[in-house]
Amino acid sequence: MVEPANSSAPEFDVVFRARRLIGPSGEVSGSVGVREGRIAAVEALDAPMRGARTVELAEDEVLLPGMVDSHVHVNDPGRSEWEGFPTATRAAAEGGITTIVDMPLNCLPPTIDSESLEVKRKVAENNVHVDVGFWGGAVHGNLDELRGLHESGVYGFKCFLLHSGVDEFPPLDSAELERALRIVAELDATMIVHAEDSEAIEHAPSAHGENYRDFLASRPRGAENMAIAQVLELARRTGARVHILHLSSSDALPMIASARADGVRVTVETCPHYLSFVSEEIPDGATQFKCCPPVREAANRELLWRGLADGTIDCVVSDHSPCTPELKRLDIGDFGVAWGGVSSLQLGLSAVWSQARLRGFELSDVVSWMSSGPARVSGLRDKGALAVGSDADLCVFAPDDAYVVDADKLHHRNAVSAYHGRALAGTVRSTWLRGRQIAGPEADTTPAGELLNRGEA
């Protein structure tokens, strides 16, 4: 409910009053004052704070910091029929996300030098509903461009250790990876890695047909484990900071924890689909579930949840990797030819909360994994916290509400989702970017997001 301002001169642009809010120390009640786009005060619920606008949260609502998704394939420019900045960022806003970091591939040109970064920024300018940062690419033949990309404001560099799925973003071999990591260490930057071993996958059975188990066999967990071991050893050797993308193999958790204990600078993410789905339940021909690395077995899923609980996994992000319905080949259901990627940008918060609550986790845990964690890993210092001085990026969330996903009602460019027909707990009632409402009733849906540079936010 929104109340009119009183007659006194307001102290704040907006005041939020919440019986439940998730701050840096956990769940409390309180009032939040926003001034000039930043959180200027966090006080008691009944503190005498005056705002030009006051937002009283309902009994069933919780005030969260806006979610941060540091793994989003927007595909714009060049493949905007798959996704684009207007649709991706609108979906993000509707899902409680206030900041995304865009991946450097599946767009044309790929973001592998300063010139291509500028092309992407021009396409995104004035077309984004949430704040957007950018990763640069580290590919075969561009390592001399990394310093320029870093100086241009990317948040780090992404590389593949096997074919990326698109020819214009070639992988690094072992020698190139070591050289790239030495450059990254000199820059005090971060290398984010799609860690699957190309040789192991070349020797695995080929993906073909409708049977999901055959596809799973084509991307064995051993390939993931071998690649992660290589990344950890090279990070140890070079001193570089590395981040393991979309962890699906729980086998790798002990060696990651061991490397971290030895001082290797490594962080790890997983994704809502690895925490939600299990291979045993994926129907034959259901190519909307295809992603690489793949969704694995139920026992593996539970070990990933354990990795979140003990802190080995730092964050949960979407790896939103959409395509047109035709490329998913739902007509023939062939996992060998369908594009790999799960579209979930709008659904991640609800999907993770739905599973987390079943395992005894609190909303504060989800905020740590999906807001403060990705912000910390990416270097987004003004994001991910409901604290004085942070950007006033907020999400009003109703954790006990529920809904059934209808892909046709999502704001992604294409109505394809592995979550279609699935019941999820928790709904986003409104989203606020720097104190401005961008989703929910009375929202201003004019694109107002900013393009971010490393070191500025």
Side-chain angles (χ1 to χ4, degrees):
M1 178 179 68
V2 178
E3 297 179 348
N6 60 34
S7 58
S8 303
E11 299 175 277
F12 303 100
D13 302 322
V14 189
V15 170
F16 294 85
R17 296 192 185 276
R19 294 165 186 82
R20 299 175 63 192
L21 63 82
I22 306 298
S25 59
E27 184 173 316
V28 296
S29 63
S31 298
V32 177
V34 176
R35 186 184 300 123
E36 296 180 352
R38 290 186 178 266
I39 297 174
V42 181
E43 304 289 349
L45 180 61
D46 58 355
M49 300 166 64
R50 299 186 307 277
R53 182 181 186 185
T54 298
V55 179
E56 292 271 3
L57 270 67
E59 292 274 0
D60 66 338
E61 295 175 340
V62 187
L63 188 65
L64 313 179
M67 300 299 108
V68 175
D69 193 336
S70 55
H71 194 150
V72 180
H73 294 270
V74 179
N75 306 335
D76 203 0
R79 292 189 174 99
S80 57
E81 70 275 14
W82 295 15
E83 190 66 278
F85 283 107
T87 50
T89 57
R90 178 70 191 283
E94 294 291 333
I97 297 166
T98 49
T99 305
I100 67 170
V101 189
D102 173 59
M103 284 292 164
L105 72 156
N106 300 346
C107 50
L108 294 170
T111 314
I112 55 175
D113 52 36
S114 298
E115 292 75 17
S116 57
L117 174 64
E118 185 59 26
V119 169
K120 179 172 282 192
R121 290 178 65 90
K122 286 181 178 178
V123 170
E125 191 172 12
N126 301 318
N127 281 314
V128 295
H129 296 271
V130 302
D131 287 355
V132 179
F134 302 95
W135 297 109
V139 301
H140 174 72
N142 90 319
L143 299 190
D144 291 337
E145 303 288 344
L146 300 189
R147 187 174 299 275
L149 273 168
H150 180 76
E151 292 171 353
S152 296
V154 298
Y155 282 85
F157 307 98
K158 179 176 185 177
C159 71
F160 278 74
L161 306 184
L162 78 171
H163 193 278
S164 68
V166 289
D167 292 338
E168 68 272 7
F169 201 91
L172 300 179
D173 63 26
S174 191
E176 289 172 318
L177 177 61
E178 181 170 356
R179 181 186 166 208
L181 288 178
R182 293 193 183 282
I183 296 170
V184 165
E186 291 175 6
L187 297 173
D188 193 27
T190 301
M191 180 70 79
I192 65 175
V193 186
H194 182 123
E196 289 181 285
D197 183 79
S198 60
E199 186 173 354
I201 287 178
E202 285 173 9
H203 287 84
S206 61
H208 64 280
E210 298 182 355
N211 191 301
Y212 184 79
R213 285 175 297 178
D214 291 340
F215 168 64
L216 188 60
S218 76
R219 312 291 290 218
R221 64 176 71 197
E224 201 173 351
N225 302 336
M226 290 174 62
I228 290 171
Q230 178 190 21
V231 172
L232 293 175
E233 176 55 31
L234 290 177
R236 188 193 309 272
R237 189 182 306 172
T238 62
R241 184 167 56 244
V242 296
H243 177 71
I244 304 299
L245 296 167
H246 44 52
L247 181 71
S248 81
S249 172
S250 62
D251 295 350
L253 291 169
M255 65 173 149
I256 291 167
S258 177
R260 189 177 287 161
D262 288 345
V264 175
R265 297 197 293 170
V266 56
T267 51
V268 186
E269 70 183 40
T270 192
C271 304
H273 40 279
Y274 301 129
L275 300 171
S276 299
F277 305 125
V278 294
S279 61
E280 295 92 332
E281 297 175 357
I282 295 176
D284 288 350
T287 53
Q288 64 269 32
F289 290 92
K290 179 181 176 180
C291 57
C292 299
V295 172
R296 303 192 188 276
E297 303 83 0
N300 181 82
R301 177 182 66 177
E302 297 314 308
L303 289 172
L304 292 177
W305 277 105
R306 190 178 301 175
L308 280 168
D310 66 21
T312 305
I313 300 174
D314 298 86
C315 56
V316 182
V317 293
S318 70
D319 189 11
H320 178 68
S321 185
C323 66
T324 62
E326 292 77 19
L327 287 174
K328 268 298 183 185
R329 297 314 308 264
L330 296 168
D331 55 336
I332 59 173
D334 189 332
F335 285 98
V337 298
W339 177 260
V342 174
S343 297
S344 65
L345 186 58
Q346 188 173 334
L347 304 170
L349 175 56
S350 296
V352 173
W353 172 238
S354 297
Q355 295 293 319
R357 68 189 305 183
L358 297 176
R359 294 166 174 80
F361 294 105
E362 306 291 339
L363 265 177
S364 56
D365 297 312
V366 175
V367 167
S368 174
W369 303 328
M370 303 191 74
S371 183
S372 56
R376 174 177 52 82
V377 166
S378 304
L380 292 154
R381 61 191 181 197
D382 296 331
K383 305 294 186 180
L386 207 164
V388 173
S390 294
D391 285 348
D393 298 346
L394 305 167
C395 169
V396 176
F397 188 63
D400 297 324
D401 208 353
Y403 64 102
V404 175
V405 176
D406 182 346
D408 290 324
K409 295 182 179 179
L410 300 176
H411 290 273
H412 309 148
R413 174 63 53 87
N414 294 293
V416 177
S417 175
Y419 293 89
H420 178 69
R422 192 176 182 92
L424 297 179
T427 58
V428 174
R429 297 270 176 85
S430 64
T431 306
W432 303 71
L433 180 68
R434 290 186 300 278
R436 177 179 180 269
Q437 188 177 353
I438 59 170
E442 304 180 39
D444 182 349
T445 57
T446 305
E450 296 183 359
L451 305 185
L452 306 177
N453 283 310
R454 174 190 45 79
E456 294 181 0

